[in-house]
Amino acid sequence: MNAGGGTHLWALVAREYWRRFRRRLRTSPIHRFRYAGRTPERVLLAPPDLRHADPRIATQIYHGVFPLCGRVVEAGGVSPFLLDVSELGWRKSLHGFRWLRHMRAAGTDLAAANARALVSEWITSHGGRIDGIAWEPATTAKRIIAWLQHSTVVLQGADFRFYRAFLRSLALQIRYLRSMAREMPPGEGRLRARVALAYAALSLPAPPSALRHATQALCEELDKQILPDGGHVSRNPMALMELLADLLPLRQTFASQAEAPPPALLGAIDRMLPALRFFRMGDGGIARFNGMGVTIRERLAAILRHDDAGGAPLLHAPHSGYERLAMGSTTVVADTGRPPPPDLAGDAHAGCLSFEMSSGRHLMIVNAGVDTFGASEFRPLGRATAAHSTATLGDTSSAKFHHTQKVNELIGAPLLGGPQNVPVERSDTPATQAFVARHDGYAQTFGLVHERRMILSENGRVLDGFDRFPAVSRNAGAPVMIRFHLHPDVHVARHADSRILITLQSGDTWAFDAPPDLTRIEDSIFFAAQGGPRRTRQIVLAFEVPRISEVGWRFSKTER
């Protein structure tokens, strides 16, 4: 890691120690009086929830089975909030209470009673002690939103005692989050905290100043995090989908309370919806870059129903650092941006100049993505450059995200270093769409930069690519592997004429042409499958620079 990366790392560590100290101070018994206050009399309205709900999950939860975050845990007659479950994602999901939507979908008195019982158990076991995962500010923000959105089902048939306990706990959490929001790390969690506080100011009786302050803080955070082209500062497409699932109902909640939504909220949504469509591939899913895993299609459909813009998606996202080529039935999305700032790079990938490609409604070339709901040990593999459809030099990643165990436990594994200069030139014509980009992620280590030109032509039937590795220092050189990871549902085979044929489930066939002496087919793995990691194949071009410093390749659709 270079000196700059080390400086960033220790700055993050120091900031996290300070943040944790401040949090302990704010949650100590001496300071908890800050969160005491008046209990609201009622919930004025329950904001809508765009996330898909399944009444069958409500039935499972009633029987003590909690399928959360890709893991199923059986409570065995014990309160789930008292279980010692090692999976951190499961515990955060449990305390976030988004699963209340399944009880609402069930629409029965039994589901409402179960929802009320589980909320009561949480208040008893965790409501009186501000500590642990249950009170992490990001989790608290999700819980506040969920309790407000599903207050109708939680309070259905409730007696006065529970009603007051629910509102008292909700008010405590809101005051706590209001105090902690400014201490949260920058990124999606802090923006969601501001969303939660705006929901609270609209959904509960509050003075006008509360809504004014919540709205101002929300607008400031939106301006910081939502880029001019609609992308999120983390460069993670998943953040767009998750945040829109909260911001769209918030816009509706403003209208339901006869309040004018702030221009910053309206502007952010208007930018984010086209940006989300920018990342949509031919199969209807979102391209796998910088932390994106499985696309929850029901949620995506619910979000895009609010996109009134219509028309073709944008082709150029310069602030987010992505390019799109789309002609005929072929779609290509490529990563042409620098890594996000280190304090926003906890999920970022070392995949600069990687791309994904779909033909019709089928994926063909992919990045490995992340196993969204699976074992955490797979995540470093999915973040490596080798897991992306781009070039890897010297069998190393173009950025660093492996740190000591103590550092990882403290701040996660942020992406550090990596490309700092990624110029992009777009050159479209009526018959072609094209761009050329380069990155310097390997310049310091191997004295080489990677340049990639991609040209989509013949109404999307031909994709030409050229990869160059010009030297920027003396004695530059390295072994190079250019990878094209194939989706697990395609079939690949080498034919007698040395061409590689890729057959999609639709029956369409694409030929891959490149120097045959450099080309081979190898095993690979696709982490972002619906049911967990799947075996697949990859096409690899292997050579050494400076003996070979430029290679061309082509995908062309063949006639049936």
Side-chain angles (χ1 to χ4, degrees), residues 363-365 484 486-487 489-495 499-505 507-512 539 554-556 558:
L363 290 171
M364 189 168 78
I365 305 300
F484 305 90
L486 300 169
H487 189 268
D489 290 337
V490 309
H491 178 265
V492 60
R494 186 189 290 271
H495 284 238
R499 298 182 91 196
I500 292 176
L501 295 184
I502 304 165
T503 305
L504 310 183
Q505 284 187 321
D508 290 342
T509 300
W510 287 73
F512 177 79
I539 301 171
R554 167 177 282 193
F555 289 97
S556 55
T558 64

Side-chain angles (χ1 to χ4, degrees), residues 159-170:
D159 58 26
F160 179 76
R161 181 177 179 182
F162 174 81
Y163 198 101
R164 295 297 291 171
F166 175 81
L167 290 173
R168 188 182 306 114
S169 178
L170 189 56

Side-chain angles (χ1 to χ4, degrees), residues 90-115:
W90 186 92
R91 289 152 60 200
K92 288 184 176 182
S93 181
L94 176 71
H95 289 289
F97 275 86
R98 283 181 173 172
W99 42 265
L100 283 174
R101 67 186 187 274
H102 305 304
M103 277 78 160
R104 183 208 66 215
T108 64
D109 291 340
L110 185 62
N114 193 31

Side-chain angles (χ1 to χ4, degrees), residues 48-61:
D49 188 352
L50 294 183
R51 291 177 171 83
H52 177 67
D54 187 347
R56 294 172 296 180
I57 297 179
T59 302
Q60 290 180 280
I61 292 175

